[in-house]
Amino acid sequence: MPIRPENILRYPATWPEISRAIKERAGWRCECMGECGRGTHPGRCPNVHEGEAYGTGSTVCLTTAHLDHTPENCDPANLRAMCQGCHLHLDAGHHAVTRAQTRARALADAGQLTVDVGDTATPVMPATRPQTAQTIPAAVAEQLLLDLPTTS
């Protein structure tokens, strides 16, 4: 994923080398063990860089994720090699907060007046969703099949 221009200065000059080292540490395979919260892979995600993504068949692009969403924190313990799917799910809450802040700035720049309602109006990143194995009982799966009458 490219770094957005407004964030480029938050990353160290050696970011390409740091990112590559994290991917090599992972053996070029997604290191997500459920931190993403997708609930689609028990244990470690099976996606391998440039391989076929499970579930979608798209080509995997391995990225380097900051678990605390802080580009300045390049401690290896804070970094994970993640496929694009896991990385996007991990960052979903962070993206929602920045999206709300960007919209609020755009409205203010356009002349929208604001009402100060205190901290309740401040976007807060939701907690990471815990990963749980999703199993569908056979009886429930059968209910999903609809037997619709045919029209003549």
Side-chain angles (χ1 to χ4, degrees):
M1 288 181 195
I3 299 171
R4 297 180 67 159
E6 63 269 21
N7 290 328
I8 196 80
L9 295 176
R10 297 182 65 193
Y11 287 80
T14 57
W15 176 248
E17 293 82 12
I18 293 168
S19 179
R20 183 174 188 81
I22 295 301
K23 294 169 187 174
E24 288 173 352
R25 170 188 79 185
W28 293 89
R29 179 180 165 198
C30 183
E31 289 183 298
C32 181
M33 293 292 290
E35 297 97 335
C36 68
R38 286 201 287 181
T40 57
H41 54 85
R44 186 173 175 186
C45 176
N47 285 338
V48 176
H49 183 64
E50 297 184 345
E52 188 175 300
Y54 74 91
T56 66
S58 63
T59 301
V60 174
C61 178
L62 201 62
T63 64
T64 303
H66 290 82
L67 297 179
D68 68 356
H69 310 288
T70 306
E72 297 87 353
N73 183 1
C74 293
D75 179 343
N78 183 51
L79 301 175
R80 292 285 183 284
M82 286 191 170
C83 66
Q84 68 273 31
C86 288
H87 195 162
L88 285 170
H89 276 79
L90 175 75
D91 287 351
H94 178 69
H95 290 165
V97 169
T98 56
R99 189 169 45 251
Q101 292 168 339
T102 299
R103 286 183 182 146
R105 274 194 306 275
L107 287 172
D109 291 348
Q112 175 70 48
L113 298 176
T114 60
V115 176
D116 184 6
V117 292
D119 291 339
T120 58
T122 304
V124 177
M125 192 165 83
T128 303
R129 298 175 300 246
Q131 181 178 3
T132 56
Q134 295 179 337
T135 56
I136 301 174
V140 175
E142 290 171 8
Q143 292 175 4
L144 298 176
L145 301 175
L146 299 176
D147 187 19
L148 300 174
T150 56
T151 57
S152 320

